[in-house]
Amino acid sequence: MLVAVTGASGLIGTALVERLHAGGHQVLRLTRSRPAAPDQVHWDPASGELDPDALAKADAVVHLAATNIGEHLRWNARIKRELLESRVEGTSLVARTMAELATRSGGNEGPRLLVCASGVHYYGDRGDAVLTEADGGGPGFLAGVVRQWEAAADPARAAGLRVVHLRTGLVQDVAGAGLPKQVLMFRFGLGGRLGSGRQWLSWISLDDIAGAYLHALTHDELEGPVNAVAPDPVTNAEFTRILARVLGRPAFLHVPAIAPKLVLGELADELLFTSLRARPARLLETGYTFEFPDLETTLRHTLSRPNQR
Ligand SMILES: NC(=O)c1ccc[n+]([C@@H]2O[C@H](COP(=O)([O-])OP(=O)(O)OC[C@H]3O[C@@H](n4cnc5c(N)ncnc54)[C@H](OP(=O)(O)O)[C@@H]3O)[C@@H](O)[C@H]2O)c1
């Protein structure tokens, strides 16, 4: 396949491009920067710039580009608008361009498949409920962002193209936005469970999120939402215990919920205290085998902390 990838320079994009090349596929990388290699093409979602001819030969588009949710320490109205708009405008531009290509050629030209990044935050704060793709959306700012992000792909769907939304859990990787911050806290002896510690974390390894994108690209039966999370979510208390064990550091602290809420505001509620216990029902039903189904093995692998026992 020739796969066009937006946001190919990011955490997931870099891993996915490597896997696509290893599988013998060709990649066209769409970037907002000046193209610096023959496989790169310029686009600018903020100003609606994407040359349809650049996509004409691609078999599929993987759309990852968006402002990083963990990039800012506190959200304000401007940052929240950017988190939403970078997702909705980029997706809408890709979907409209693909629809235009399909329409102008009577279906003979252009990619027939769009695999979009999405977030497990679609489900909102749902306590202990096990969430599959059959569940509806929940409350909260990020849940609303994800709903609009997915809806922005409607033009591609309306043009008869296959569209998949990978509702991704927090990627546990040493190069990710969340894990290095937590490791630092533990190194300073400040690691501990947050609030009640009962909130569920839906996570996935970098290898498996790249694997899930490849699976979506090659399995025609996948369409619509797909939970891209490991089969074994953990509570915050379990996560804290496992990370402490992997790092060989204590985790006696209990951080009262009020502390991060005062420092981080709404971001704390959305990212640290929202309870998401998602199950990768569609990935499992369609035969995806997780390389890293278990959190401790994943953390030991990415943090280069092999089990000493
Ligand atoms: N990592 C996670 O834990 C996680 C969890 C859930 C969902 N996701 C979603 O998965 C996708 C990829 O995640 P990632 O962690 O690989 O992201 P990332 O490392 O932050 O990379 C995203 C890429 O998007 C482009 N980009 C950045 N800001 C942008 C903007 N304002 N408008 C358009 N493009 C922009 C950049 O590429 P260029 O500069 O080359 O254009 C960047 O390399 C994102 O949509 C993210 O929301 C990630």
Side-chain angles (χ1 to χ4, degrees):
M1 282 188 287
L2 171 60
V3 183
V5 182
T6 75
S9 58
L11 177 72
I12 297 173
T14 304
L16 175 62
V17 168
E18 206 172 285
R19 291 278 294 265
L20 284 166
H21 282 149
H25 303 293
Q26 285 176 283
V27 178
L28 191 64
R29 294 180 290 155
L30 272 69
T31 178
R32 294 162 309 150
S33 310
R34 184 194 292 268
D39 69 339
Q40 283 189 326
V41 171
H42 177 77
W43 79 312
D44 184 8
S47 62
E49 188 189 331
L50 171 57
D51 178 5
D53 292 333
L55 295 185
K57 298 248 174 319
D59 299 294
V61 177
V62 170
H63 173 48
L64 301 169
T67 300
N68 194 301
I69 288 196
E71 196 171 279
H72 302 280
L73 261 189
R74 259 188 102 87
W75 291 343
N76 56 30
R78 183 187 59 77
I79 290 169
K80 286 169 73 175
R81 198 168 52 245
E82 188 185 321
L83 293 176
L84 174 69
E85 286 178 357
S86 72
R87 288 173 168 74
V88 172
E89 285 173 0
T91 306
S92 166
L93 179 59
V94 169
R96 282 185 281 115
T97 306
M98 289 175 67
E100 182 190 320
L101 274 168
T103 312
R104 87 176 180 197
S105 65
N108 292 324
E109 193 187 32
R112 306 292 305 164
L113 163 63
L114 172 60
V115 185
C116 279
S118 177
V120 77
H121 275 85
Y122 171 84
Y123 301 106
D125 188 7
R126 301 286 276 272
D128 291 331
V130 176
L131 303 161
T132 73
E133 295 84 349
D135 286 282
F141 167 70
L142 286 179
V145 167
V146 177
R147 262 198 301 279
Q148 293 174 72
W149 190 8
E150 293 188 354
D154 283 349
R157 253 184 292 276
L161 308 179
R162 179 162 79 89
V163 180
V164 181
H165 301 280
L166 283 187
R167 291 183 179 159
T168 308
L170 187 62
V171 177
Q172 295 298 320
D173 191 78
V174 72
L179 188 59
K181 292 190 188 99
Q182 280 164 309
V183 169
L184 199 66
M185 298 286 279
F186 276 84
R187 293 234 159 97
F188 285 116
L190 296 172
R193 101 181 128 83
L194 298 173
S196 71
R198 286 172 51 195
Q199 65 275 32
W200 288 88
L201 172 74
S202 289
W203 62 275
I204 188 163
S205 71
L206 185 58
D207 292 82
D208 279 317
I209 187 62
Y213 275 96
L214 278 174
H215 187 79
L217 284 167
T218 51
H219 285 73
D220 289 347
E221 63 273 39
L222 278 180
E223 190 148 18
V226 173
N227 290 346
V229 295
D232 216 355
V234 291
T235 62
N236 172 265
E238 278 176 271
F239 181 89
T240 305
R241 263 195 308 275
I242 293 171
L243 183 57
R245 192 159 61 227
V246 168
L247 294 173
R249 306 290 295 186
F252 305 127
L253 273 185
H254 164 215
V255 183
I258 190 73
K261 287 187 189 198
L262 278 175
V263 179
L264 306 171
E266 185 182 5
L267 184 148
D269 279 326
E270 291 277 345
L271 294 184
L272 304 180
F273 295 107
T274 287
S275 186
L276 287 160
R277 189 183 186 182
R279 192 182 130 70
R282 294 294 293 137
L283 282 180
L284 293 173
E285 281 161 16
T286 53
Y288 182 74
T289 306
F290 281 83
E291 291 170 57
F292 288 94
D294 151 79
L295 181 65
E296 182 158 348
T297 316
T298 305
L299 293 179
R300 288 195 183 281
H301 174 73
T302 188
L303 297 171
S304 305
R305 294 275 181 151
N307 200 337
Q308 305 295 327
R309 283 171 288 169

